[in-house]
């Protein structure tokens, strides 16, 4: 997870620059690259379904990693504007399923060996990926500046492939609950509805993140006139705080319930977006980042666990669908941000994700009550 996090986060912030500098893509067209994230939910669903029918849960983890490595190599060799778009939609969307299948394997082992600390187990694993996302952008900026953007994409391919090496030839057998009755395919699809609702609610809560990364640096540069170092500190503080909060959130979830903790995280996300919208100084933006870190700590530590509980008969499918919600939220947030900035400007555009997060709080509250009734 650490190796994969470093690799992917090294390249992701540089992709628009790669499209513009290396392939001479017009900036508006380069901005459309992230629309390819819309392919992630379908890929996550298909990989998850295939994983749930496989005896070895790590088989599809390895397949996704190999496809991802091949995709990044193909990206580095791209010579036409259309190639990165096709590669992202067909290969990198599938590659994203590798992390989902690792979490599915963890769920299988936790089902075989139950523990009251399962949220802390998942949070610890997630911390490795988050650490990668803290280190990766720094490494990617340096490596791309020294060696070039195409070698950076090759290095990303190496990291994506290298994530399979620590596991060696280890197998994790798919866990089938002997007490769960086998159901028809139609019933399984009906049982997927709570998972889909939860995933959609999480997408609502996450839309502000893309808007923040896309437009908060512009707001700080053009209207607050802060230095590059301060802008970097504002953007970089969130993943650092998220890393520190992951074990705290897991302990709270073990004590009070995961869905309650997610509801509290959404409240922090709402407060963060409102703080962005009303901020006229860097101090307000630091506060907004601190509050938003609480939301993302809850999503990172608890989201995949809740999804697996909502669809226990297919934890691979549940993991794939939920984790694909993150790039889906990114695509939707980018669209909303572009329209919102044109309509109401900066920083008031953050009132839009604040309203969407308020809806998610109401939905999380209803899901939390449903969870309590089922206990």
């Amino acid at each position: 997870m650490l190796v994969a996090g470093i690799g992917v986060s090294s390249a992701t912030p540089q992709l628009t620059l790669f499209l513009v500098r290396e392939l001479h893509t017009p900036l508006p067209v380069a901005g459309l690259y992230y629309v390819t994230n819309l392919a992630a939910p379908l890929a996550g669903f298909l990989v998850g379904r295939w994983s749930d029918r496989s005896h070895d849960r790590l088989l599809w983890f390895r397949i996704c990693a190999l496809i991802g490595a091949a995709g990044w190599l193909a990206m580095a060799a791209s010579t036409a504007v259309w190639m990165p778009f096709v590669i992202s939609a067909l290969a990198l969307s599938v590659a994203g399923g590798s992390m989902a299948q690792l979490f599915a394997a963890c769920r299988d082992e936790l089902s075989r060996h139950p523990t009251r600390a399962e949220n802390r187990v998942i949070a610890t694993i997630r911390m490795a990926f988050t650490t990668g996302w803290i280190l990766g952008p720094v490494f990617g900026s340096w490596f791309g500046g020294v060696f070039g953007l195409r070698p950076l994409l090759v290095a990303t391919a190496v990291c994506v492939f290298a994530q399979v090496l620590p596991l060696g030839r280890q197998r994790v057998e798919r866990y089938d609950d002997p007490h769960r009755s086998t159901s028809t395919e139609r019933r399984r699809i009906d049982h997927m509805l709570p998972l889909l609702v939860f995933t959609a609610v999480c997408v609502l809560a996450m839309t502000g993140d893309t808007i923040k990364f896309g437009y908060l640096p512009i707001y700080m540069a053009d209207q607050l006139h802060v230095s590059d170092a301060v802008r970097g500190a504002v953007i970089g503080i969130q993943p650092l705080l998220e890393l520190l909060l992951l074990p705290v959130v897991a302990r709270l979830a073990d004590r009070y319930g995961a869905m309650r903790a997610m509801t509290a995280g959404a409240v922090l996300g709402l407060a963060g977006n409102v703080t962005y919208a009303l901020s006229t100084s860097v101090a307000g933006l630091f506060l907004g980042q601190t509050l938003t870190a609480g939301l993302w700590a809850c999503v990172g530590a608890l989201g995949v666990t809740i999804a697996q509980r909502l669809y226990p008969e297919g934890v691979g499918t549940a993991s794939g669908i939920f984790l694909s919600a993150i790039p889906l939220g990114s695509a939707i947030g980018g669209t909303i941000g572009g329209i919102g900035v044109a309509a109401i400007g900066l920083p008031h555009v953050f009132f839009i994700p604040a309203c969407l997060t308020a809806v998610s709080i109401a939905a999380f509250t209803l899901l939390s009550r449903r969870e309590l009734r089922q206990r």
Side-chain angles (χ1 to χ4, degrees):
M1 293 288 278
L2 176 64
V3 172
I6 291 174
V8 175
S9 65
S10 295
T12 300
Q14 310 293 329
L15 282 175
T16 303
L17 191 62
F18 171 75
L19 291 170
V20 173
R21 287 187 179 178
E22 299 292 333
L23 301 181
H24 309 291
T25 307
L27 190 58
V29 176
L32 294 175
Y33 170 82
Y34 294 100
V35 177
T36 60
N37 288 335
L38 295 174
L42 177 60
F45 172 77
L46 292 176
V47 171
R49 298 289 274 191
W50 293 329
S51 173
D52 288 331
R53 295 168 182 171
S54 173
H55 292 293
D56 179 17
R57 186 70 76 179
L58 294 181
L59 171 64
W60 280 98
F61 161 72
R62 294 184 173 97
I63 291 174
C64 289
L66 292 175
I67 292 174
W72 285 110
L73 286 176
M75 187 80 75
S78 296
T79 56
V81 171
W82 59 268
M83 294 177 68
F85 290 82
V86 174
I87 292 166
S88 177
L90 296 182
L92 301 188
S93 61
V94 175
S98 61
M99 183 169 69
Q101 299 320 305
L102 272 184
F103 280 118
C106 292
R107 172 54 50 193
D108 288 332
E109 288 300 298
L110 288 170
S111 297
R112 289 190 186 90
H113 310 288
T115 171
R116 293 182 179 179
E118 65 173 44
N119 287 315
R120 277 169 275 173
V121 173
I122 298 297
T124 301
I125 297 169
R126 178 71 189 202
M127 286 173 70
F129 190 72
T130 302
T131 302
W133 272 82
I134 294 174
L135 300 175
V138 178
F139 171 79
S141 297
W142 168 80
F143 193 97
V146 174
F147 299 102
L149 295 176
R150 290 187 188 272
L152 172 62
L153 299 181
V154 174
T156 298
V158 172
C159 288
V160 171
F161 172 76
Q163 67 180 311
V164 307
L165 299 180
L167 293 173
R169 300 176 64 181
Q170 182 176 348
R171 290 171 55 90
V172 174
E173 295 293 329
R174 188 188 70 235
Y175 177 79
D176 294 314
D177 189 347
H179 303 293
R180 185 182 300 126
S181 59
T182 56
S183 56
T184 64
E185 190 71 16
R186 176 175 176 80
R187 188 181 178 192
R188 290 185 64 172
I189 294 174
D190 291 342
H191 281 186
M192 199 182 292
L193 184 59
L195 167 66
L196 297 177
V197 171
F198 173 71
T199 302
V201 172
C202 288
V203 169
L204 290 179
M206 293 186 292
T207 52
D209 210 53
T210 304
I211 300 174
K212 177 192 68 182
F213 281 117
Y215 296 101
L216 208 58
I218 297 175
Y219 174 61
M220 287 188 285
D222 294 347
Q223 298 186 37
L224 297 184
H225 305 292
V226 300
S227 66
D228 292 342
V230 174
R231 292 202 302 271
V234 170
I235 297 299
I237 195 173
Q238 182 195 313
L240 178 60
L241 292 175
E242 179 187 337
L243 179 67
L244 298 176
L245 288 172
L246 280 170
V248 177
V249 167
R251 284 188 173 274
L252 292 174
D254 285 335
R255 183 170 182 178
Y256 299 107
M259 197 66 78
R260 284 185 175 180
M262 281 292 292
T263 306
V267 172
L268 293 175
L270 169 62
N273 282 312
V274 171
T275 302
Y276 294 141
L278 298 177
S279 291
T280 56
S281 67
V282 172
L285 299 181
F286 273 115
L287 176 60
Q289 286 285 74
T290 302
L291 294 167
T292 304
L295 166 64
W296 278 93
C298 291
V299 172
L302 308 175
V304 71
T305 300
I306 296 173
Q308 291 168 344
R309 289 175 182 170
L310 291 174
Y311 192 57
E313 57 263 55
V315 296
T317 303
S319 303
I321 289 177
F322 174 76
L323 290 174
S324 67
I326 297 176
L328 177 62
S330 174
I332 295 174
T335 303
I336 292 173
I339 297 172
V341 167
I344 60 178
L346 287 169
H348 298 137
V349 67
F350 288 98
F351 281 125
I352 299 176
C355 293
L356 296 177
T357 308
V359 175
S360 75
I361 293 171
F364 280 136
T365 302
L366 294 175
L367 290 172
S368 182
R369 290 178 178 175
R370 176 183 179 273
E371 182 183 59
L372 290 174
R373 286 197 301 269
Q374 290 181 343
R375 287 182 178 179

